[in-house]
Amino acid sequence: MAFFRLLLTLTFVSCSSAWTTPTTSSKIRTTTKLSSSSSSSSSSSSSTSQDDRREFLTRLVKLGSATATTAATTTTVAASSWFISPSSATAAAAAASSSSSQDQKDKENIVKGYNRLTYFLDNWEDETTICKTGQETTFGDICERTPVKVMDYLGFKSTNDPLFKAETTMLRLKNAVPGDREVDFYDAVDAYSQNAEEASSMAFVSSWGEANPGGGKDRVRLFLERSKKNVVASRDALRTVMDILDLKP
């Protein structure tokens, strides 16, 4: 209602400024034509008054049309600035849902990865030993230590492993970290990344321990045990991240 009152007032003011009174116009024309006869002056004044009214009505119609057009344009712009299309709202809702789903998946992968590493360490000897049934090794025994499982459990062998690119997974959850634990969170992520890489490197060296000159099974075991220390540190770093994010194993 306030908008239409303002529109009516503006129209009235504009109309007032556009109006030329018939009386004033008649006086001017009468003054400049004093030599004319009385009957001729009256006729001229009447004709001029009609012309003035026509001109006024014409200007009023144009002014009203222009004002209405401006008001409609303003209303349309104002309405469009506040209007959110259904497609935009749907896209925003889908993006929010996708983000929430990704966060949940990342949290689950961290917990799964932690539980897998815990199992791996609890069964270290069994998981890092391969026994060849019906076939003896070079030194006569049928079982050998192998570091291959180290890289498997740390997510370096499969894109489907819960710890595949674990550092990236954890960093995607940074927005869920409490403000007073941010430093601890980033330190834990760095500790995991460094120890996981070191564990993989030691496992690789161990795999060549017997083939290298002067090498043997003792070299395989040596580097395998060094790798185990890094696996322990990686598991502990994951547990710190879980505590910060309030995740339960």
Side-chain angles (χ1 to χ4, degrees), residues 150-151 154 156 194-207 223 227 230:
V150 174
M151 291 174 280
L154 287 172
F156 290 106
Q194 292 174 10
N195 281 284
E197 290 288 348
E198 188 67 18
S200 179
S201 297
M202 289 295 102
F204 178 79
V205 173
S206 175
S207 66
F223 288 106
S227 176
N230 295 117

Side-chain angles (χ1 to χ4, degrees), residues 44-248:
S44 177
S45 176
S46 176
S47 176
T48 300
S49 178
Q50 292 178 357
D51 291 341
D52 286 340
R53 289 191 181 91
R54 290 194 192 97
E55 181 181 356
F56 172 75
L57 291 175
T58 300
R59 294 176 64 180
L60 179 61
V61 170
K62 290 182 179 179
L63 180 61
S65 177
T67 304
T69 301
T70 302
T73 303
T74 303
T75 303
T76 301
V77 172
S80 62
S81 65
W82 286 96
F83 180 71
I84 300 177
S85 65
S87 59
S88 298
T90 301
S97 177
S98 176
S99 177
S100 177
S101 177
Q102 182 64 56
D103 286 352
Q104 184 62 32
K105 182 179 179 180
D106 289 341
K107 291 177 180 179
E108 291 175 356
N109 282 338
I110 291 174
V111 174
K112 288 179 182 178
Y114 171 82
N115 290 334
R116 275 170 53 82
L117 287 184
T118 298
Y119 171 84
F120 182 43
L121 290 169
D122 289 344
N123 298 275
W124 180 261
E125 291 291 334
D126 292 338
E127 290 294 316
T128 58
T129 301
I130 294 179
C131 294
K132 300 179 181 179
T133 304
Q135 180 181 357
E136 292 186 353
T137 65
T138 305
F139 296 94
D141 51 6
I142 61 173
C143 295
E144 290 183 335
R145 301 297 300 278
T146 174
V148 175
K149 290 294 187 69
V150 174
M151 291 174 280
D152 285 345
Y153 277 90
L154 287 172
F156 290 106
K157 287 289 189 178
S158 172
T159 58
N160 295 322
D161 192 275
L163 290 181
F164 177 71
K165 293 186 177 181
E167 181 180 3
T168 301
T169 299
M170 289 184 281
L171 289 177
R172 277 199 296 262
L173 297 171
K174 61 182 181 294
N175 292 332
V177 177
D180 60 343
R181 300 298 305 276
E182 286 186 355
V183 174
D184 295 336
F185 174 78
Y186 287 112
D187 286 346
V189 173
D190 288 341
Y192 173 84
S193 179
Q194 292 174 10
N195 281 284
E197 290 288 348
E198 188 67 18
S200 179
S201 297
M202 289 295 102
F204 178 79
V205 173
S206 175
S207 66
W208 290 91
E210 193 172 0
N212 289 331
K217 291 184 180 299
D218 59 329
R219 304 300 292 176
V220 173
R221 294 191 187 94
L222 173 65
F223 288 106
L224 190 56
E225 290 306 312
R226 289 183 180 179
S227 176
K228 182 179 180 180
K229 294 179 180 178
N230 295 117
V231 174
V232 171
S234 298
R235 190 269 311 271
D236 293 345
L238 278 181
R239 183 54 192 258
T240 300
V241 170
M242 289 171 57
D243 290 342
I244 293 173
L245 297 174
D246 195 25
L247 303 177
K248 306 301 180 184

Side-chain angles (χ1 to χ4, degrees), residues 7-27:
L7 178 63
L8 184 59
T9 301
L10 292 174
T11 304
F12 178 79
V13 172
S14 300
C15 292
S16 298
S17 62
W19 171 254
T20 302
T21 61
T23 304
T24 303
S25 177
S26 178
K27 287 181 179 179

